[in-house]
Amino acid sequence: GWPANGLAIDASAGDQTTPSLLAVGAGGTFVFSSDASKRILAEHLGPDGTAMPGWTGSPLIVRDVDGTPAAYPYAAPDGEGGCFVAWAHARGPRAEVWAHHLSWAGVLDPGWPEDGRQVATGGANGIRGVAPDGAGGLYVAYIKTFDPGSLDDDVYAARLLPDGNMAPGWPLAVCALSDWQALNSVSADSTGGLLLAWFDFRSYPPRIYVQRLRPDGSSPPGWQPDGNLVSDLPGYHDYPRLAPDGHGGALVCFAEGFNNRGYVQRLLPNG
């Protein structure tokens, strides 16, 4: 059984940071972390906490390149029992986003580059979430700024095909208006597309916006180029969280900071 105080992800010496997990039902749970050597590690545990067949009981090294920090892994199912994982990779003042694909049995996809696929470069990039595309590929959502000293983040997204190549038309700027767009939540839309929610300083106090993207990167009719406003109630809106409604629309909860109230809204498939 499981230890009373929890199971160590990695029993080796040194720090382990930024853990995350992905439950895949009867197929167990994938667990990811970053270690003291600045690598991305993976485990696949069964319901009893032991390693799944094919896994050695020691973490699988997903990313170990040039000693620069890799952290903040996010995972999504691949639809075949394995998963995708994407993470942040720091190189001096720049931050990149990378991704890889691994099987149920702990084999890194030989069709992908050995060290993973670079998703985002140019400027400073911060990963904020991933979602399956329903066709064996992966959406990766991140923020980008070309001036890390300012609050001028923009919202970006990419789509990787099952073979690890970038889908045509991707990556793309979801919202790149002036001032700060702080991406907080990402979800598949239940129809093969992607939902993203952020709080936006295009005006003050900020408001919550949501965008829906189709697999080709376009937005369905009714969705505006820089996202749809969730609520125009007075106050400071932040910390949005998304869930798909099962029909292509979105359920969004958010906080109103001036009066410390919580709200939830539903956006239909047409925005």
Side-chain angles (χ1 to χ4, degrees):
W2 289 74
N5 293 311
L7 180 70
I9 296 173
D10 178 8
S12 62
D15 296 337
Q16 289 104 41
T17 61
T18 63
S20 65
L21 55 79
L22 173 70
V24 284
T29 301
F30 289 97
V31 183
F32 299 91
S33 64
S34 176
D35 73 354
S37 298
K38 304 174 182 178
R39 306 173 299 181
I40 297 296
L41 305 179
E43 292 268 23
H44 192 187
L45 304 177
D48 62 356
T50 61
M52 294 291 281
W55 293 71
T56 65
S58 296
L60 172 70
I61 299 172
V62 178
R63 173 77 172 180
D64 181 16
V65 177
D66 65 27
T68 53
Y72 302 105
Y74 288 80
D78 67 359
E80 297 182 350
C83 71
F84 300 99
V85 58
W87 64 89
H89 192 92
R91 293 180 185 270
R94 298 183 294 123
E96 302 167 352
V97 176
W98 290 71
H100 217 322
H101 181 213
L102 55 153
S103 73
W104 184 91
V107 177
L108 294 175
D109 194 326
W112 287 51
E114 181 180 359
D115 296 314
R117 173 70 66 189
Q118 187 169 358
V119 177
T121 187
N125 304 277
I127 186 168
R128 292 295 183 269
V130 297
D133 69 358
L138 175 73
Y139 292 110
V140 182
Y142 55 98
I143 58 170
K144 179 188 287 287
T145 179
F146 293 96
D147 182 4
S150 70
L151 289 176
D152 192 21
D153 297 344
D154 298 322
V155 179
Y156 277 73
R159 181 183 173 216
L160 296 177
L161 299 173
D163 63 5
N165 288 314
M166 191 69 66
W170 300 79
L172 54 85
V174 178
C175 184
L177 298 176
S178 61
D179 296 312
W180 188 17
Q181 285 85 46
L183 179 63
N184 285 87
S185 189
V186 181
S187 174
D189 74 350
S190 302
T191 67
L194 181 67
L195 295 164
L196 309 97
W198 65 93
F199 66 95
D200 196 309
F201 280 82
R202 68 183 73 178
S203 61
Y204 187 87
R207 293 289 184 263
I208 306 301
Y209 285 81
V210 172
Q211 182 60 278
R212 182 184 177 201
L213 299 175
R214 295 185 285 202
D216 64 359
S218 65
S219 297
W223 293 85
Q224 302 306 307
D226 291 306
N228 286 24
L229 180 67
V230 170
S231 173
D232 202 26
L233 286 171
Y236 190 109
H237 299 185
D238 59 7
Y239 300 113
R241 292 293 183 268
L242 274 171
D245 70 357
H247 304 283
L251 295 162
V252 191
C253 66
F254 63 95
E256 191 288 290
F258 289 157
N259 298 295
N260 295 321
R261 306 293 295 177
Y263 293 89
V264 62
Q265 176 68 288
R266 182 184 179 200
L267 299 181
L268 297 176
N270 64 0

